[in-house]
Structure formats: C-alpha cells, structure tokens
C-alpha cells in the first residue's frame, strides 16, 4: 500500500486489506518521572532538549531557546541518550553536569563474561570525558522549586540485592543556582496506532508477544504481530534488527505454513 507518510491510514483499513499486520514503530512517548515537582519549569525530556541542537547546526530558523549555558544540569538516567545530554550540556557551556543512574555502578571489565549477550559493564563515552560527575544507585524522589522553577533535587541512596533495590540513606538536596534537570528515555512506541488495535499489553504498556514457539511475535489479536520497540519497549537498534528479521520469518510461517527465511 503506497504511502508517502503524508497521509494517515486507519488501522481498520490495514486489517481489512492485509493478511498480516506488523506493529514495529519506534519508541516515541517519553518515559516520565512521576515525582513531586515534576511540573516545575526547568525540567525537560531529553528529546525536547537534544533535537534543538541538531536544528541549530542544520541552520534551521525559529529554534526554541532551551540552553544549558550557565546552568547546573542534572541528567537523570544513563545510556546513550543520557550521554548525549551530558555532551550537549557541556558544549552549551553548563557550569556543571551531574548524572544520576538508578542502577549500581557496573564492573569495568575487558572481557564479556556473558557472551553472546550484551555485557553489563562500565562504559565511558567521549561525552563523559568532556566532564560530568557520575553517581550510581541514586533514586530521585522529589524536585524542589522556588518561584515555579526547579531549584534542587531530593534523592535516596539505594542498595541492590538480587535485582531489587532498598533505600539505605537520603542523599539530601542538591541546591543549584540556575538549574536545568534533564530526564532521558522513551517508553511507548506509536501509542495512538497501538491504542486503536486492541491487543494485550505487558506491565509497561507494550504489545505482549512471545518470541519463541508457533505463536512467535503474534499478539493477542488475530493476524497482528509486534516487534522491536513496540514489543520490548525502548531499546537498541540492534534489537530492532534482530526482532524484525525474526518477526518476518514468523509472519512468513503464519501465511505459508513454513518459512525458509533466516532467523
């Protein structure tokens, strides 16, 4: 079905005209931080912050004036998105950049002890090397404001045991002169489309589908499949590639009764 992405196709139309439909959109709904003070000015999603710099570099006009210059920036969350926030804040001229990570500091090892799975180990990007104070096992519990603007963060130190956290101490309040807190991460993929295709969801709102067995990548709705961010939530592009290939084979098997596509 030709579509130049300028028109909207109703899910009902796709289901009526095709023998199989794959939900494979990327994550686009920001992962929020539902804590007191979240509504304060100066608290931004990463994806409200980062694209602006790309637009400026591209020479776009009318770009929103959201800068980290002369501010104390706290990036809540790690990963590639958090790293990008750190680097961009430094290049803007931030006074300081601090990074809070919920999980414990991973080991810094040279080998991969869990091959072929992605190892959990300490990674330092070029953005980190530009300057950042990194802190692990920190959970932000509240944002403190003054005059409607974020002024400080309250947090607790966590201890992790068997994959579960417990509070061991209060970090207190980090006061900042001209703060800018940047949260990172994306949560749901193409929520509008997925919401109109009624299918079972997991606890995080993603389409529920197994990756193995005769119903691999099949959702609870007949002839509807899900892969990538739609199924697993925000993740790396390599996972999208892997699940896309496997889902294509699953759809081929569903339609033909067998498949010779690689898995």
């Amino acid at each position: 079905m030709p579509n130049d992405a300028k028109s909207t196709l109703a899910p009902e139309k796709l289901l009526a005209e095709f023998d199989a439909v794959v939900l494979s959109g990327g994550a686009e709904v920001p992962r929020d931080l539902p804590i007191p003070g979240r509504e304060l000015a100066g608290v931004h999603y990463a994806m409200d912050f980062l694209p602006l710099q790309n637009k400026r570099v591209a020479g776009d006009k009318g770009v929103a004036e959201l800068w980290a210059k002369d501010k104390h920036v706290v990036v809540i969350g790690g990963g590639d998105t958090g790293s990008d926030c750190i680097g961009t804040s430094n290049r803007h001229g931030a006074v300081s950049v601090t990074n809070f990570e919920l999980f414990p500091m991973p080991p810094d090892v040279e080998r991969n002890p869990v091959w072929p799975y992605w190892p959990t180990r300490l990674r330092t990007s070029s953005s980190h090397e530009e300057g950042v104070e990194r802190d692990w096992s920190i959970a932000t519990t509240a944002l403190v404001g003054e005059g409607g603007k974020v002024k400080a963060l309250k947090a607790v130190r966590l201890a992790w045991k068997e994959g579960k956290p417990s509070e061991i101490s209060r970090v207190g309040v980090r006061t900042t002169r001209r703060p800018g807190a940047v949260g990172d991460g994306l949560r749901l993929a193409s929520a509008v489309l997925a919401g109109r295709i009624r299918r079972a969801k997991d606890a995080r709102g993603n389409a529920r589908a197994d990756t193995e067995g005769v119903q691999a990548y099949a959702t609870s709705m007949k002839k509807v499949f899900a892969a990538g961010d739609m199924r697993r939530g925000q993740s790396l592009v390599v996972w999208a590639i892997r699940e896309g290939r496997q889902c294509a084979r699953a759809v081929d098997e569903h339609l033909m009764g067998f498949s010779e596509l690689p898995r």
Side-chain angles (χ1 to χ4, degrees):
M1 179 177 290
N3 184 10
D4 57 8
K6 294 181 180 179
S7 57
T8 300
L9 299 176
E12 296 80 5
K13 181 178 178 64
L14 295 176
L15 291 170
E17 297 186 11
F18 290 87
D19 295 317
V21 174
V22 177
L23 303 177
S24 57
E28 56 186 32
V29 179
R31 181 178 298 136
D32 208 350
L33 189 63
I35 59 175
R38 171 63 183 86
E39 74 287 352
L40 293 169
V43 183
H44 306 280
Y45 288 125
M47 296 309 294
D48 288 340
F49 174 66
L50 293 174
L52 302 181
Q53 190 62 23
N54 292 336
K55 293 179 179 180
R56 295 185 190 105
V57 172
D60 291 0
K61 305 298 182 182
V63 180
E65 291 296 320
L66 177 56
W67 296 86
K69 182 177 175 59
D70 297 330
K71 292 180 171 64
H72 295 272
V73 177
V74 179
V75 178
I76 301 174
D80 293 337
T81 306
S83 176
D84 288 344
C85 289
I86 291 166
T88 300
S89 297
N90 277 317
R91 292 161 206 166
H92 280 185
V95 175
S96 68
V97 183
T98 303
N99 184 200
F100 284 172
E101 175 59 68
L102 182 67
F103 296 102
M105 180 177 176
D108 185 5
V109 295
E110 293 299 326
R111 65 187 183 86
N112 180 357
V114 292
W115 176 263
Y117 299 103
W118 188 254
T120 300
R121 61 186 180 192
L122 180 63
R123 288 177 172 81
T124 300
S125 70
S126 58
S127 294
H128 294 129
E129 292 173 346
E130 290 179 34
V132 62
E133 179 184 347
R134 304 169 76 181
D135 204 349
W136 285 267
S137 295
I138 295 289
T140 305
T141 57
L143 300 168
V144 181
E146 185 178 289
K149 298 181 179 180
V150 63
K151 187 68 177 177
L153 290 83
K154 291 184 178 180
V156 295
R157 177 80 60 186
L158 303 174
W160 289 83
K161 184 176 181 181
E162 297 180 353
K164 296 182 179 179
S166 60
E167 179 182 331
I168 57 175
S169 66
R170 294 188 178 275
V171 176
V173 179
R174 286 177 175 255
T175 304
T176 57
R177 294 198 308 275
R178 297 183 61 193
V182 182
D184 86 294
L186 296 169
R187 182 171 53 89
L188 297 180
S190 303
V192 174
L193 171 63
R196 294 178 64 183
I197 295 182
R198 300 184 180 278
R199 77 282 180 259
K201 298 181 288 186
D202 62 18
R204 297 177 65 180
N206 304 308
R208 183 182 298 162
D210 294 328
T211 59
E212 303 293 338
V214 295
Q215 292 295 314
Y217 293 96
T219 70
S220 59
M221 189 172 186
K222 186 178 179 181
K223 72 178 185 180
V224 176
F225 298 77
D229 287 0
M230 277 284 194
R231 192 198 68 82
R232 64 184 294 117
Q234 176 206 14
S235 191
L236 300 172
V237 66
V238 291
W239 276 110
I241 295 170
R242 172 188 169 91
E243 293 208 356
R245 289 168 60 96
Q246 292 185 347
C247 185
R249 179 184 172 93
V251 171
D252 193 31
E253 290 178 339
H254 167 74
L255 296 175
M256 307 299 295
F258 70 98
S259 178
E260 296 180 351
L261 294 176
R263 195 175 192 278

